Amino acid sequence: MHAHPSRQKFIDAAIAVVREQGYAATSVDDICARAGVGKGSFFHHFKSKEELLLAAIEHWNAFTGAVFADAPFRRLADPRARLLGYVDFRIAILDRPIPEFACLLGTLVQEVYQSHPALLAACDAGMSGHIDDLVADAAAAKALYAPDADWTPESVGFFMQAVLQGSFIFAKAKNEAEVARDNLAHLRRYLESLFPPAAKKE
Amino acid sequence: MHAHPSRQKFIDAAIAVVREQGYAATSVDDICARAGVGKGSFFHHFKSKEELLLAAIEHWNAFTGAVFADAPFRRLADPRARLLGYVDFRIAILDRPIPEFACLLGTLVQEVYQSHPALLAACDAGMSGHIDDLVADAAAAKALYAPDADWTPESVGFFMQAVLQGSFIFAKAKNEAEVARDNLAHLRRYLESLFPPAAKKE
DNA sequence: TATAATATACCAACCAGTTGGTATGTCGAT
DNA sequence: ATCGACATACCAACTGGTTGGTATATTATA
């Protein structure tokens, strides 16, 4: 329904430019220039910069959702292996330039949390939706490997995401992904210890 | 040397407003209004908004450095206890409003990493300096409790900081600190497992 | 021919930074 | 002590440029 090519160009441009510059530093003209389409068209498709970003977040959620749903690790039978596979998958992505592996939502949250409630809610919903997939695996893995542990599967999903978001910050600060790789190696080690394979209960 | 009261008002105001709104969304007028001093004075003390932020980052580093140096956990004799004490200390701070416990540097990095090299370098230096203190404890604790482990003390320091930064993002996204508390509980559990107390070698 | 899509030109508000000037010292010479 | 020269601190008003958003006209499409 929302598939007009120019509209999509604006959305793709917004995701790219905001990941590089942030929300406030990105002007509508910047987005139009990146999209290669004029401002008249912009305000024909979106009634404001904020509304474009809501659409961009929606697209981001759909796109990243599909990427992870189709990733090979998703087809592993064991939920513990899927969680570790998720981490390995994120490590593999770190080869690309920083603006391509960093998270649009994490970048946005820090800028808009006091000023744009609608954007904040959309970011929260997107991140929480992504985490839900991790939580499902964490719950299944907990039932198998750590049924009596005193942490919740939900908290494991949020922890994994927090490590990722923090790692993106350090990748940006150091302008290289190695710190992020080391961080994810620690995360992987922690997950291995949370779900000790010896304890598997059939 | 740099102790003029108006200058300090601008620095304090900048830290407060940028933690709330971010760098790009904060105007010089915003900072002057918060400081209660006029714009003429601003450009008397600082030649640009960027230069003010460099001074603000410097002040931030000195201030937070003193807070952690004076914290009770610093006086614990055992380096492992100091690392866990650091995490507990950060958990305790989470009672305050979000803009008061979030990190200025982590907020800034995401906005300036492609556009303001001087600010980025200052943020990196500040975060790395703070991490150095953790690394010193991690190195000492490793020698005592995990001398043969295959991770470095440096990577532990960065991991701790990444969890914190990621937790701030989620606190902002959910507008409450509970997620951050849960994350830090996981971090604490991981540190406990990295330095198993049973393995202490005298 | 009607409607959706786009371009160009434009506006009021806002931005970082400047200007010209005032108030308040301070310090050496008288 | 006091006067003049100078520096620091500050302010209100302004400047040139940018911003998000609008108005209007033109072009493609159905």
Side-chain angles (χ1 to χ4, degrees), chain B residues 49-164:
Chain B
K49 177 180 158 186
E50 179 171 3
E51 203 199 71
L52 162 66
L53 253 101
L54 281 171
I57 292 168
E58 198 177 335
H59 177 72
W60 171 267
N61 293 340
F63 179 76
T64 59
V67 166
F68 287 100
D70 295 347
F73 75 86
R74 277 276 98 207
R75 289 193 289 278
L76 295 170
D78 182 48
R80 179 183 191 270
R82 284 202 298 277
L83 279 180
L84 298 177
Y86 173 84
V87 176
D88 293 335
F89 186 75
R90 304 237 47 160
I91 291 173
I93 298 177
L94 295 176
D95 284 331
R96 308 154 74 141
I98 293 175
E100 287 177 37
F101 67 71
C103 176
L104 172 70
L105 308 183
T107 302
L108 271 171
V109 163
Q110 304 229 48
E111 279 190 82
V112 306
Y113 81 111
Q114 293 269 45
S115 54
H116 295 75
L119 290 180
L120 181 67
C123 290
D124 181 29
M127 297 201 289
S128 297
H130 182 64
I131 289 172
D132 284 344
D133 297 338
L134 302 174
V135 170
D137 284 340
K142 192 188 180 206
L144 284 176
Y145 296 96
D148 302 324
D150 64 348
W151 38 264
T152 65
E154 286 74 25
S155 71
V156 174
F158 279 105
F159 182 72
M160 291 173 70
Q161 242 5 252
V163 172
L164 273 165

Side-chain angles (χ1 to χ4, degrees), chain A residues 39-54:
Chain A
K39 213 171 174 178
S41 178
F42 181 97
F43 284 99
H44 173 74
H45 290 287
F46 305 97
K47 74 174 207 287
S48 69
K49 179 180 157 186
E50 180 171 1
E51 202 200 74
L52 161 67
L53 253 103
L54 281 171

